[in-house]
Amino acid sequence: MTYIIAEPCLDVKDTACVEVCPVDCIHPMKNEAEAFGQARLLYIDPVECIDCGACEPVCPVEAIFEEAAVPDKWKDYIKINADYYKKSE
Ligand code: SF4
Ligand code: SF4
């Protein structure tokens, strides 16, 4: 299980979630300048995420969901989050 960032994050990217994640599994971070500039949203690494839930309540646009609770219209984001980390390996 993991948490997922969905469509409401698009072009918001305020990084409130990054600040609270205890295992730094939300990327790209602001210090990854090139990747951060290109990304339209942030992604959670499903392997590193420890399912603590700290990120979910701090998101100002309610873009973060536990995997099992992702609304049907945003289910594609489960793969989109995971794929971001496959590409960067
Ligand atoms: S649930 Fe916890 S570990 Fe997973 S992305 Fe959110 S803050 Fe990080
Ligand atoms: S807190 Fe929400 S809007 Fe901000 S970067 Fe994280 S997921 Fe995106």
Side-chain angles (χ1 to χ4, degrees):
M1 198 61 81
T2 179
Y3 277 65
I4 300 292
I5 295 178
E7 189 171 284
C9 180
L10 266 181
D11 298 326
V12 179
K13 296 193 324 188
D14 73 320
T15 73
C17 54
V18 174
E19 309 288 328
V20 300
C21 179
V23 293
D24 292 339
C25 71
I26 306 175
H27 296 264
M29 296 180 179
K30 281 182 177 163
N31 62 9
E32 299 169 293
E34 189 179 345
F36 188 80
Q38 289 172 358
R40 290 194 62 202
L41 70 158
L42 271 57
Y43 309 91
I44 293 173
D45 184 335
V47 176
E48 298 296 324
C49 174
I50 58 169
D51 230 9
C52 72
C55 53
E56 184 184 354
V58 302
C59 178
V61 292
E62 298 183 16
I64 304 177
F65 301 88
E66 194 177 7
E67 184 175 352
V70 178
D72 284 346
K73 61 183 173 183
W74 293 328
K75 291 276 190 219
D76 288 354
Y77 283 85
I78 297 171
K79 185 170 187 302
I80 290 170
N81 278 245
D83 282 353
Y84 178 79
Y85 294 93
K86 286 183 189 151
K87 276 182 225 146
S88 60
E89 273 171 8

